[in-house]
Amino acid sequence: MDKLKSDRGDVPGWVLITLMTAGLVVLIWAFAGPALEGVFEQAMSRVVSF
């Protein structure tokens, strides 16, 4: 019972992992988004030209 009281109020590890993963995705997307958009547009223009 004492163990439950000592953990009370702590943020579970899975919540922190989820938030950090979401933050990393947003950060990577901010940098890679324009490059991925260029690659996508180039690929679409090649497909449409055929």
Side-chain angles (χ1 to χ4, degrees):
M1 197 66 145
D2 291 331
K3 183 174 173 82
L4 291 176
K5 287 183 180 180
S6 67
D7 287 341
R8 193 175 180 98
D10 288 343
V11 177
W14 64 268
V15 173
L16 292 175
I17 291 171
T18 303
L19 290 175
M20 287 189 294
T21 302
L24 283 173
V25 167
V26 169
L27 185 66
I28 291 170
W29 193 267
F31 287 110
L36 291 173
E37 186 176 339
V39 169
F40 176 75
E41 288 177 2
Q42 184 180 12
M44 291 304 292
S45 68
R46 287 184 182 176
V47 170
V48 172
S49 66
F50 285 122

